[in-house]
Amino acid sequence: MTSSAPKWTRETWPIAAAMIQYPNMLPDGRSVQDQTVEEWAKTVGEVADAGFTELDPTDSWLRVADLSADRRRAFCEVVKDAGMTIPAISTSRRSVIDEKHGDEYLDYSHRVIETAAEIGAQSVSFGFFEPLTDKQKSALWFWTEQGAKNPDDPATWNKAVTRIAELGRHAAEVGIDVSLEMYEDTYLGTADSSVRFVEEVGLANVGINADLGNLIRLHRPVEHWLQMMTKVAPFAKYWHVKNYMRIEDEHAGLIASHPVPLESGLINYRTAIKLALEHGFNSPFLCEHYGGDGLSVSATNRDYLRRILPRN
């Protein structure tokens, strides 16, 4: 990515709300996929009331790409009526190299790209992380338990590169950016492997979702956030932002973390964003937060981003 002037100001930069705080399955046993338009509107209205003008229909909540054409149009009308737009679509735990469902998820990812183009989004986010294990589901913080790992296997790595390149070419045809999410124990589990991966894909519209929060929250040694950000900044595209407080006591053998607002955590986002902007970062942001009132903390994070983004 080459340096260029941002196309937005701090007031106009697209900063979307994630929908991770909303479950896909409802207490009555229904899926959000089957909700009425009025029920969708109630949830979307909460996001609008938090001051967001952009929303990412994260597919852990709603698989917009799997709605019928009529239902998809109805959902987009709900978003429009709430005064919001959809700058990007994020996928979660639908890896195209999943041992059982990889082919299915590859087809799904193509539908996500087509849907993004249809509804006017400019980015999609994919990742190689898999469904939570039973231990992760029962833990207070799922990242404190070991999750699935991408295999240390050159053939599977090459399969991943080939499939993302296929998706990247499709996305380029319809004017969409692909952002690959950094996540532990995947092929984007470190800064070095993330850079290597996107360089092997070799497409200008395929970059890195620099979600360093996924890594600094781990209760294990990790590379310093600034070193990671320096490496991935030239490749940064659609960016999930969240932050954690991290405590390390080498003498006690203790590493612990917990979620905090963007401005209060280990990652200095003022510095991280400056690094990305120096390399021409021109993509939307997504605010997310685990624990408590995630929507309100995400709104606080959005306001912080607007204070530190370029004035013009």
Side-chain angles (χ1 to χ4, degrees):
M1 184 183 294
T2 57
S3 181
S4 62
K7 56 189 173 185
W8 299 297
T9 66
R10 60 174 55 169
E11 290 84 10
T12 61
W13 210 293
I15 304 175
M19 300 300 285
I20 59 175
Q21 61 272 4
Y22 294 102
N24 173 261
M25 296 305 298
L26 305 168
D28 62 7
R30 290 182 302 144
S31 167
V32 173
Q33 298 291 125
D34 302 319
Q35 280 190 303
T36 65
V37 171
E38 290 74 20
E39 288 173 314
W40 282 341
K42 184 176 180 180
T43 302
V44 170
E46 287 186 2
V47 180
D49 287 345
F52 280 97
T53 52
E54 291 84 26
L55 175 148
D56 178 337
T58 320
D59 71 0
S60 58
W61 173 64
L62 178 68
R63 300 187 313 279
V64 178
D66 282 346
L67 295 173
S68 68
D70 288 344
R71 293 268 287 168
R72 189 157 54 245
R73 282 193 292 270
F75 175 75
C76 289
E77 282 298 315
V78 165
V79 174
K80 181 180 178 181
D81 290 346
M84 290 191 288
T85 61
I86 300 174
I89 301 174
S90 292
T91 67
S92 177
R93 306 190 187 281
R94 289 175 172 81
S95 168
V96 296
I97 55 168
D98 182 278
E99 188 174 359
K100 294 182 179 179
H101 304 289
D103 292 348
E104 172 191 341
Y105 293 156
L106 178 62
D107 291 342
Y108 169 73
S109 297
H110 279 292
R111 294 199 301 275
V112 170
I113 290 169
E114 292 166 1
T115 299
E118 173 190 321
I119 67 179
Q122 67 183 71
S123 302
V124 294
S125 178
F126 299 130
F128 295 121
F129 47 109
E130 299 185 9
L132 297 174
T133 66
D134 289 339
K135 283 189 175 182
Q136 285 181 305
K137 291 177 183 178
S138 62
L140 174 61
W141 303 120
F142 64 83
W143 56 85
T144 61
E145 292 287 348
Q146 179 63 54
K149 298 181 179 181
N150 287 170
D152 183 12
D153 170 46
T156 308
W157 170 282
N158 291 335
K159 181 179 181 179
V161 170
T162 298
R163 290 194 161 189
I164 293 300
E166 175 186 329
L167 293 171
R169 289 190 294 270
H170 180 187
E173 291 172 358
V174 294
I176 299 293
D177 278 343
V178 172
S179 191
L180 302 175
E181 184 170 354
M182 298 180 73
Y183 197 96
E184 77 268 14
D185 300 322
T186 72
Y187 293 147
L188 284 89
T190 67
D192 289 328
S193 65
S194 298
V195 170
R196 177 190 165 203
F197 191 92
V198 296
E199 286 184 333
E200 287 196 22
V201 171
L203 296 172
N205 69 317
V206 176
I208 297 172
N209 175 351
D211 193 346
L212 303 184
N214 286 340
L215 303 181
I216 67 153
R217 70 189 178 190
L218 298 175
H219 289 195
R220 64 173 91 158
V222 294
E223 186 176 13
H224 192 281
W225 71 266
L226 183 56
Q227 293 175 330
M228 289 193 285
M229 191 65 217
T230 301
K231 293 173 182 178
V232 303
F235 307 92
K237 289 194 179 293
Y238 183 48
W239 192 351
H240 294 182
V241 293
K242 56 180 177 285
N243 216 345
Y244 295 80
M245 183 57 68
R246 181 179 173 91
I247 298 172
E248 297 184 13
D249 186 334
E250 181 179 350
H251 300 290
L254 170 68
I255 299 176
S257 65
H258 64 87
V260 294
L262 280 190
E263 59 191 305
S264 305
L266 179 68
I267 301 168
N268 181 341
Y269 273 96
R270 186 184 297 271
T271 297
I273 289 172
K274 283 181 180 178
L275 275 172
L277 290 173
E278 287 172 0
H279 290 280
F281 177 75
N282 257 325
S283 297
F285 292 95
L286 172 78
C287 290
E288 56 184 1
H289 181 85
Y290 287 100
D293 184 353
L295 177 60
S296 290
V297 177
S298 293
T300 298
N301 292 343
R302 176 204 63 224
D303 294 344
Y304 165 72
L305 289 177
R306 297 216 184 277
R307 292 199 304 273
I308 66 174
L309 282 166
R311 291 182 180 274
N312 48 50

